[in-house]
Amino acid sequence: MKKTILAVVISSISLGSIAAEHNHEHFSEIGKQGGKPATKTTIEKNDAFAQTLNFSDTRAFENNNKGLIASFDKKTGDIIRNSFDFIDPSVANADNAPDSVNPSLWRQAVLNQAAEGLYEVIPGKIYQVRGTDLASISFIRSDSGWIAYDVLLTRESASQSLKFFQENVPEGGDLPVVAMIYSHSHADHFGGSAAIKEAFPDVKVYGSKHITKEIVDENVLAGNAMSRRTAYQYGATLNRHEHGIVDAALAKGLSKGAITYVLPDYELNHNEEIETLVIDGLEMQFMDASGTEAASEMITYIPSMKALWSAELTYQGMHNLYTLRGAKVRDGLKWSKKINEMLVTWGEDTDVLFASHSAPVWGTEEISDFLKMQRDAYGFTHNQTLRLANNGVVLQDMGDEIYTVMPESIQKTWHTNGYHGTYSHNARAVYNMYLGYFDMNPANLNPLPVKPESAKFVEYMGGSELILEKAEADFEKGEYRFVATVLNKVIQVEPKNKDARELLADTYEQLGYQSEGAGWRNIYLTGAQELRVGTLPGAPKTASPDVLANMTVENLLDYLAVQVDSVKAQHTPFTLNVVLPDNKETYFVEMSNGNLNNILVDKEIKADATLFINHADISQILLGKTTLIELIENGKAGIKGDKSVLQKLTSSLTHADESFEIVPRPEKGEEVDAELYENTHKH
């Protein structure tokens, strides 16, 4: 089927930072059965781990409950919360984890379940709606209305949260939202913007430095792979129960609906260290933190309220230096230094610290202690990883080794625990950032590809029957990590080996039950699920139309380049000018040696053809409102020269497989049937 230029991106571009909707209805009664019970080994390991945790420290629960004005009604709560009703949000339940959940992760799940409505941060000045989405929305009082800070993931959650705020805030519920601020470039902080704009058309919008560019840039080129991986990290196809997904680390999970984006009227310049703006009479000081948790991010201080907004640099847990869905490694040292800068600059003059996730922290001393511990957790991960690496610890060993050097103070503090970003994968991320994936062992320099290497392992180990016999014995002993490694080799070679698939699924399940990190749990349990029933719907949706519409032509051409089948394209070289009259830009595009190149030029270069199209019309193509052919037929676009150039381009483009194999399928395109799921996945 022919593809028109540009329109090809509609079905395949995806922002990996956008997690999936949950497909809870898919399994019907089968899914409600839950998973297999925790084994004796898992129960013992979780019990032993619980002994290292300080359940007597309930300060986070006290802060979480402070200032509650109104609990959710059913309509508002149903945005995300009702399917987690199996979790009792009382602090008394925090140390009462089911056998199938790591006790530390369960405590975090209980804490996040306790966020349930509208909270007063500073009476009459700052309020938060917490618990309708992965992030919280904050409302800050200004001279003539409210400033909405970080507006959630979807239009639906933002709309309901705004309505709930207006109906329940003690004073000023009838006042307008006069400004909207995005702290950083992740979708759960801007995706609900259309709801605010629709309610208050005159709202002025502010964003962090280069936020629009970073929103469009992040994850586009690797979007399809990142989407598939995101479904694993966020448990997109898992049901919510004690044998499935229990928490998303930062909050309970993600709302369902449309991700939108209203362009900022002003993006912070940060030409100075701290940029001060007066927004509707309220002075706000902005510190650039780009390159820490997000490529575009800022911290905010409100002097008149002595309130410090830490964006997503802090929350009640350890964050990701490397996010498992896939992304560029974040700079742990810069992250630590930026928290320190917040502390030194405003720490002594701060009465409340609030953020995108988790409850605020009150009191100068408590805030100082909180920030120092957060600062030191990221600094520890960065510095000790490099110390260990400088003493010969290699990438594969680093995940275990980092825990052997962890100070007891960090280990004993709840808000530095690895719920979102574990120390294991964060330490390996630091190693990779500085030294790459190769550990300098010659045996690891050029290993065989996965399947032929697996075949040789199975052969050397005496065949799959002998391996299964040994794996079953090791499973009974609770040696799950190696059982997972060796059985993965077997099913790479014998994907239809039912016994190996069943045992590997059981193994992944137990590893998930033991995981403190929410992402680790979801990845293990999703792997088990796909071994049992195959790939299911529920992967992340494509990037929102609002985001796609803001792609530059260079973004688009770069993305098209990763869709080119180089073997096909090597035989159809061409050159093409793409002229955009409305913004006076010209791009020279060349297909050569199977690679698509582009460059912004001052004027047309001699080429096989020239395409004339307005940037505004490209946005219409991206939004699915028209096609290039229609634009040409209507005279809104045109091409001169060799018209076969477009055919050469479109015929070389490919569509990525949105459900590509992660755990081996029994046969390409074949799924394991639901009967196998029912027989192996229920209690």
Side-chain angles (χ1 to χ4, degrees):
M1 184 175 66
K2 293 182 179 178
K3 306 182 185 77
T4 58
I5 187 172
L6 308 180
V8 66
V9 298
I10 293 296
S11 63
S12 53
I13 291 181
S14 170
L15 283 181
S17 59
I18 299 172
E21 295 182 2
H22 292 267
N23 184 22
H24 304 301
E25 294 75 31
H26 182 82
F27 292 134
S28 186
E29 292 304 314
I30 294 175
K32 294 176 183 177
Q33 298 296 331
K36 289 187 176 181
T39 62
K40 182 174 181 290
T41 297
T42 292
I43 293 171
E44 289 174 350
K45 286 196 173 184
N46 282 343
D47 285 347
F49 190 65
Q51 300 307 309
T52 70
L53 302 172
N54 183 16
F55 287 104
S56 63
D57 178 4
T58 60
R59 186 58 177 163
F61 283 89
E62 295 166 13
N63 285 339
N64 206 42
N65 297 330
K66 182 176 180 178
L68 178 63
I69 292 175
S71 296
F72 290 136
D73 53 77
K74 187 176 189 306
K75 184 175 182 181
T76 307
D78 277 356
I79 292 174
I80 190 172
R81 300 178 59 81
N82 70 323
S83 52
F84 285 104
D85 285 349
F86 67 95
I87 299 176
D88 176 357
S90 67
V91 66
N93 192 40
D95 62 349
N96 190 28
D99 292 340
S100 57
V101 184
N102 177 285
S104 181
L105 178 59
W106 179 255
R107 183 259 186 196
Q108 183 76 353
V110 173
L111 179 66
N112 284 335
Q113 183 75 357
E116 57 164 350
L118 176 64
Y119 293 82
E120 188 175 65
V121 179
I122 299 179
K125 296 180 179 179
I126 300 177
Y127 297 85
Q128 286 188 313
V129 177
R130 302 201 296 271
T132 60
D133 215 326
L134 189 67
S136 303
I137 183 171
S138 299
F139 294 93
I140 304 168
R141 188 71 166 85
S142 57
D143 279 359
S144 59
W146 298 97
I147 298 170
Y149 210 137
D150 280 6
V151 290
L152 310 180
L153 177 69
T154 64
R155 175 192 274 116
E156 289 75 6
S157 63
S159 177
Q160 286 296 318
S161 298
L162 173 63
K163 181 181 178 183
F164 191 76
F165 165 74
Q166 291 173 314
E167 292 175 348
N168 292 283
V169 67
E171 294 181 2
D174 57 339
L175 295 175
V177 174
V178 296
M180 178 165 51
I181 303 177
Y182 312 136
S183 70
H184 63 286
S185 53
H186 291 156
D188 51 319
H189 304 268
F190 63 76
S193 53
I196 309 298
K197 181 72 172 179
E198 288 160 3
F200 302 102
D202 296 329
V203 66
K204 190 166 184 181
V205 186
Y206 298 81
S208 51
K209 182 178 180 180
H210 302 317
I211 186 171
T212 301
K213 176 184 182 299
E214 296 299 344
I215 286 171
V216 173
D217 282 357
E218 183 174 295
N219 311 326
V220 170
L221 296 184
N224 188 70
M226 203 170 290
S227 292
R228 178 80 168 101
R229 293 161 62 104
T230 297
Y232 262 64
Q233 179 181 341
Y234 282 92
T237 60
L238 297 175
N239 285 283
R240 296 175 176 180
H241 47 61
E242 64 186 45
H243 292 88
I245 186 171
V246 298
D247 200 61
L250 300 171
K252 293 316 303 173
L254 303 124
S255 62
K256 298 179 181 180
I259 297 165
T260 63
Y261 184 54
V262 176
L263 280 171
D265 299 296
Y266 183 78
E267 292 186 8
L268 276 291
N269 292 317
H270 297 293
N271 293 324
E272 300 178 2
E273 178 62 22
I274 297 173
E275 182 174 359
T276 300
L277 295 177
V278 177
I279 300 176
D280 190 40
L282 183 66
E283 180 183 333
M284 306 182 83
Q285 298 175 1
F286 299 95
M287 177 185 289
D288 184 33
S290 299
T292 56
E293 190 271 338
S296 170
E297 190 150 359
M298 64 189 183
I299 298 156
T300 307
Y301 180 69
I302 308 171
S304 63
M305 301 179 185
K306 292 191 173 183
L308 177 58
W309 167 269
S310 63
E312 204 162 333
L313 274 75
T314 68
Y315 91 105
Q316 288 289 330
M318 178 69 165
H319 213 296
N320 284 309
L321 296 183
Y322 165 71
T323 180
L324 297 168
R325 62 176 167 81
K328 295 178 181 178
V329 173
R330 298 159 183 174
D331 189 338
L333 181 59
K334 183 174 184 180
W335 199 323
S336 177
K337 286 180 175 291
K338 192 57 64 172
I339 294 175
N340 201 35
E341 194 174 338
M342 292 164 53
L343 182 62
V344 171
T345 304
W346 295 303
E348 293 183 358
D349 296 310
T350 297
D351 290 339
V352 62
L353 174 76
F354 67 123
S356 307
H357 304 280
S358 303
V361 179
W362 286 269
T364 303
E365 184 176 349
E366 188 170 339
I367 290 168
S368 177
D369 290 343
F370 178 85
L371 288 176
K372 286 179 180 178
M373 189 62 73
Q374 289 270 311
R375 173 199 66 189
D376 293 342
Y378 294 103
F380 156 78
T381 307
H382 175 274
N383 296 334
Q384 293 306 304
T385 296
L386 292 183
R387 181 179 73 84
L388 292 169
N390 284 329
N391 283 280
V393 177
V394 296
L395 181 62
Q396 184 169 340
D397 297 349
M398 191 63 73
D400 281 23
E401 195 69 22
I402 193 70
Y403 290 103
T404 69
V405 296
M406 180 179 289
E408 185 177 353
S409 56
I410 293 178
Q411 192 276 324
K412 290 287 188 182
T413 300
W414 285 113
H415 68 81
T416 54
N417 283 3
Y419 304 120
H420 199 36
T422 72
Y423 290 89
S424 174
H425 75 254
N426 279 347
R428 284 177 282 172
V430 174
Y431 184 104
N432 189 61
M433 179 179 174
Y434 283 90
L435 298 171
Y437 70 90
F438 179 47
D439 60 6
M440 204 49 69
N441 185 327
N444 298 326
L445 182 59
N446 189 30
L448 286 171
V450 172
K451 291 189 183 297
E453 180 189 65
S454 298
K456 295 303 292 184
F457 268 101
V458 171
E459 177 190 342
Y460 271 51
M461 297 176 75
S464 60
E465 289 186 12
L466 184 58
I467 292 172
L468 264 170
E469 182 181 328
K470 293 180 177 179
E472 287 169 354
D474 280 350
F475 181 91
E476 292 302 317
K477 292 186 288 185
E479 297 180 5
Y480 303 130
R481 289 171 70 181
F482 187 72
V483 171
T485 298
V486 72
L487 288 181
N488 179 61
K489 304 290 188 187
V490 173
I491 67 167
Q492 293 289 345
V493 180
E494 301 176 16
K496 299 178 75 170
N497 189 321
K498 181 179 177 181
D499 291 338
R501 296 181 73 86
E502 289 181 357
L503 185 56
L504 182 55
D506 292 348
T507 302
Y508 285 159
E509 195 165 54
Q510 297 304 316
L511 288 169
Y513 292 168
Q514 295 177 22
S515 296
E516 182 180 35
W520 283 41
R521 176 183 177 89
N522 294 337
I523 288 167
Y524 280 129
L525 295 185
T526 302
Q529 176 182 268
E530 291 198 354
L531 284 166
R532 290 166 174 161
V533 300
T535 306
L536 299 170
K541 307 302 180 184
T542 55
S544 73
D546 291 352
V547 174
L548 292 175
N550 289 299
M551 288 182 69
T552 65
V553 175
E554 182 179 6
N555 290 144
L556 174 60
L557 293 172
D558 287 344
Y559 183 75
L560 288 179
V562 304
Q563 305 304 304
V564 169
D565 183 331
S566 57
V567 175
K568 290 182 181 178
Q570 66 179 328
H571 303 300
T572 55
F574 64 81
T575 54
L576 172 70
N577 288 306
V578 179
V579 179
L580 296 94
D582 57 346
N583 62 357
K584 299 180 175 59
E585 287 183 347
T586 299
Y587 288 85
F588 180 70
V589 179
E590 182 175 10
M591 180 78 80
S592 62
N593 303 306
N595 184 57
L596 189 67
N597 302 277
N598 76 84
I599 186 171
L600 179 65
V601 295
D602 294 332
K603 59 183 179 180
E604 292 179 44
I605 295 176
K606 183 179 178 180
D608 297 329
T610 298
L611 173 67
F612 298 90
I613 184 170
N614 285 320
H615 190 208
D617 289 326
I618 295 176
S619 296
Q620 295 302 302
I621 293 174
L622 292 171
L623 292 170
K625 295 181 179 180
T626 189
T627 66
L628 179 59
I629 299 301
E630 290 174 354
L631 291 172
I632 291 175
E633 290 175 348
N634 296 332
K636 294 184 177 181
I639 185 168
K640 69 178 183 181
D642 183 1
K643 294 180 175 59
S644 71
V645 163
L646 294 186
Q647 174 60 28
K648 291 177 180 178
L649 174 60
T650 57
S651 64
S652 73
L653 298 175
T654 61
H655 278 297
D657 179 0
E658 294 182 2
S659 58
F660 59 79
E661 182 179 275
I662 292 180
V663 297
R665 297 167 180 150
E667 205 170 278
K668 189 170 179 60
E670 180 184 333
E671 304 291 3
V672 181
D673 62 24
E675 184 180 357
L676 176 60
Y677 179 88
E678 189 170 19
N679 289 337
T680 61
H681 198 60
K682 60 187 177 184
H683 290 287

